[in-house]
Amino acid sequence: MMSSYSEDMNDEYQKLLRRTRPPRVVIDNEACKNATVIRVDSANKHGILLEVVQVFADLNLIITKAYISSDGEWFMDVFNVTDQDGNKITDDELVDYIKKSLGPDSCFYYTMRGSIGVKAAASHSSIELIGCDRPGLLSEVSAVLTNLKCNVVNAEVWTHNGRAAAVVNVTDGESGLAISDDERLRSIKELLRHVLRGSDRWGKAKTVVTQGATHAARRLHQMMFADRDYERADSEDGKQRPDVNVVNWYDKDYSVVTIRCKDRPKLLFDTVFTLTDMDYVVFHANIDAEGPEAYQEYYIRHVDGSPVKSEAERQRVVQCLEAAIERRVSEGLKFELCTTDRIGLLSDVTRIFRENSLTITRAEVTTRAGKAVNTFYVRGASGSSVDPKTIDNIRQQIGQTVLKVKGSPDDLKPASESPTRFLFGGLFKSRSFCNFGSVRSYS
């Protein structure tokens, strides 16, 4: 009871601060030559930095520099931001959206903890899965959902350290609405759990039914953290790891976290989320990601006010940040698919990948105005690069493609139109697959 009372009092205090000292957002396109400068001033609270960074991440904006200061009761933040093409933010609607999302009228939701499972939302049901990764897993999961007459409208899949986690949003294939029938949800849960446990020697596969809204990236981080994917054997592959260090600055009673790694989209969100979810408060930070390498420096304390207390805690912070950085790294070929959405589309596409011995390392599936826009990162089944003959075979089955091999000096050139272009479309013509779009890849 005392804990609940304390939380309620803190919530009321935060509301009072927000009313008396509302957030102020300034968007300036003149102060910097190559980026839009966004300044955010607000009453301070635990997690506010994550809330701001999440707005930029959800809009797919790139943060090239940032300075954060949140000592005391006031939060002051400056971000240099561009769009994905490196341009300033000039679209009036986007500028207004950012101001409304971060300004006085914003209504952040901040639920750090949640349950793993199937969650009924207004427009869809959200299925959360975690288990041992293996070739063809996404194909098997999507086939089960197709057989259960579920349409996948959005999905995000991550793999790391031999584990796979997914957040899959589905609707009923007939009504197009969320699945609310408890018996049907239980059936979905049990069948998917059976698929996940097929090769999970540790028995950690999970599909639990709960209710509530979810944010895919947050949940994927939480699920993989709870699954302890950050634990790694010393003998694992020798690929380059992020450079993460944690030292204590005893004069100021801070722990200083420094990160150097290859830059990528949403890197700042992933590291800030991890620190926040582990109950650390970021008091100051400097971010520099103007080149191919990102540098991040955080001055942190635990929510109890203490810096990192032991070597074991230091090692855990390092491991968890390394895992957070690596989970969303894009390895292998990038296939982008855009076509009319239909039930079974994801199942058919992933089956083609599986039959050609491709392993999906990460996937993003979205539906926009009846169109499926899917991105897959794939490698050979043994983890090797994909053979050009395999790509040709996929081209013959799916249609015209434009592909590049990520990290290879010998990029594959787009193939000319295949005489069997409509083989795959004709095979599924009765299911409206003849308008299948191209599969594209970008490095």
Side-chain angles (χ1 to χ4, degrees):
M1 290 293 293
M2 287 296 295
S3 175
S4 177
Y5 177 77
S6 176
E7 290 175 2
D8 291 342
M9 288 294 292
N10 183 60
D11 186 53
E12 290 302 316
Y13 177 68
Q14 294 293 342
K15 290 179 181 178
L16 176 62
L17 278 179
R18 191 174 182 85
R19 287 195 299 269
T20 57
R21 304 171 73 180
R24 185 170 67 96
V25 181
V26 177
I27 299 179
D28 186 351
N29 273 315
E30 303 299 326
C32 180
K33 180 180 179 181
N34 54 8
T36 298
V37 177
I38 301 178
R39 300 181 181 89
V40 182
D41 298 336
S42 174
N44 193 19
K45 68 170 182 175
H46 179 49
I48 189 170
L49 175 60
L50 175 60
E51 294 171 350
V52 173
V53 170
Q54 182 179 311
V55 169
F56 297 141
D58 290 346
L59 291 171
N60 294 315
L61 300 179
I62 306 299
I63 298 171
T64 58
K65 276 184 176 292
Y67 172 75
I68 292 105
S69 180
S70 61
D71 256 339
E73 294 186 350
W74 197 248
F75 169 84
M76 293 177 289
D77 220 349
V78 180
F79 297 93
N80 285 15
V81 177
T82 70
D83 63 17
Q84 294 184 76
D85 298 319
N87 301 316
K88 292 184 179 183
I89 312 303
T90 56
D91 181 83
D92 290 339
E93 289 187 10
L94 182 56
V95 168
D96 288 343
Y97 180 85
I98 294 171
K99 287 181 177 178
K100 289 178 181 177
S101 297
L102 301 177
D105 298 328
S106 63
C107 50
F108 290 120
Y109 68 90
Y110 185 65
T111 304
M112 293 304 303
R113 305 292 178 183
S115 300
I116 298 172
V118 180
K119 305 175 184 179
S123 59
H124 59 257
S125 300
S126 182
I127 306 171
E128 298 179 3
L129 311 166
I130 190 159
C132 184
D133 187 28
R134 68 175 188 275
L137 179 60
L138 181 57
S139 176
E140 293 178 33
V141 167
S142 54
V144 167
L145 293 173
T146 298
N147 289 337
L148 292 170
K149 294 181 171 53
C150 299
N151 188 40
V152 177
V153 292
N154 293 288
E156 194 154 354
V157 183
W158 292 358
T159 62
H160 183 244
N161 279 355
R163 306 296 291 174
V167 175
V168 185
N169 296 330
V170 300
T171 58
D172 176 77
E174 294 182 358
S175 68
L177 303 175
I179 301 169
S180 57
D181 181 77
D182 290 339
E183 185 61 34
R184 189 176 178 191
L185 290 175
R186 277 194 292 271
S187 177
I188 293 171
K189 177 193 70 174
E190 292 302 324
L191 288 170
L192 291 177
R193 181 184 295 168
H194 178 73
V195 170
L196 289 171
R197 284 181 173 171
S199 62
D200 198 334
R201 57 182 176 177
W202 305 113
K204 291 183 178 180
K206 294 180 182 178
T207 56
V208 181
V209 178
T210 58
Q211 303 294 331
T214 189
H215 182 276
R218 285 188 173 198
R219 290 300 299 133
L220 287 167
H221 276 304
Q222 289 174 336
M223 291 159 63
M224 300 196 94
F225 175 83
D227 195 56
R228 303 179 74 90
D229 75 312
Y230 53 84
E231 296 179 342
R232 181 189 352 261
D234 292 337
S235 60
E236 274 204 274
D237 63 85
K239 69 180 180 181
Q240 186 176 1
R241 305 293 182 193
D243 181 7
V244 182
N245 290 285
V246 180
V247 297
N248 280 354
W249 186 12
Y250 292 104
D251 289 348
K252 299 294 184 181
D253 221 24
Y254 290 124
S255 291
V256 182
V257 178
T258 58
I259 299 171
R260 291 184 185 273
C261 64
K262 184 178 179 181
D263 191 30
R264 62 164 175 78
K266 304 187 181 181
L267 175 64
L268 183 60
F269 170 85
D270 294 334
T271 54
V272 169
F273 176 85
T274 299
L275 289 170
T276 307
D277 203 43
M278 294 178 70
D279 289 329
Y280 291 100
V281 179
V282 175
F283 288 87
H284 302 280
N286 289 292
I287 310 299
D288 187 347
E290 287 192 308
E293 183 180 75
Y295 175 78
Q296 301 180 354
E297 182 180 67
Y298 300 100
Y299 294 77
I300 66 169
R301 295 184 189 131
H302 194 267
V303 288
D304 64 9
S306 66
V308 172
K309 299 176 183 177
S310 66
E311 176 61 19
E313 183 183 357
R314 190 191 73 82
Q315 286 288 345
R316 188 166 182 264
V317 172
V318 169
Q319 286 181 324
C320 291
L321 285 171
E322 286 177 346
I325 293 166
E326 292 172 345
R327 287 170 192 148
R328 214 197 293 241
V329 169
S330 305
E331 296 181 338
L333 286 175
K334 179 181 179 181
F335 289 0
E336 185 177 276
L337 175 152
C338 181
T339 187
T340 302
D341 186 37
R342 63 167 179 81
I343 297 176
L345 175 63
L346 183 62
S347 176
D348 290 330
V349 173
T350 53
R351 177 178 58 78
I352 290 292
F353 294 162
R354 183 186 65 193
E355 290 174 349
N356 284 276
S357 300
L358 297 186
T359 297
I360 297 172
T361 61
R362 191 160 71 85
E364 297 176 6
V365 176
T366 58
T367 304
R368 303 169 189 164
K371 291 285 185 181
V373 181
N374 303 344
T375 301
F376 305 94
Y377 295 88
V378 302
R379 293 184 299 185
S382 61
S384 60
S385 58
V386 182
D387 191 309
K389 293 181 180 179
T390 299
I391 299 171
D392 284 340
N393 188 41
I394 293 173
R395 286 173 175 152
Q396 290 176 4
Q397 294 180 76
I398 295 178
Q400 184 181 13
T401 63
V402 179
L403 290 169
K404 292 182 180 179
V405 179
K406 181 178 179 179
S408 170
D410 300 318
D411 291 346
L412 293 180
K413 296 180 180 179
S416 57
E417 189 68 49
S418 167
T420 56
R421 178 181 183 221
F422 296 106
L423 173 61
F424 191 49
L427 186 61
F428 292 96
K429 188 173 181 179
S430 61
R431 289 185 286 168
S432 301
F433 204 83
C434 56
N435 292 323
F436 192 99
S438 64
V439 177
R440 304 173 187 168
S441 177
Y442 306 90
S443 57

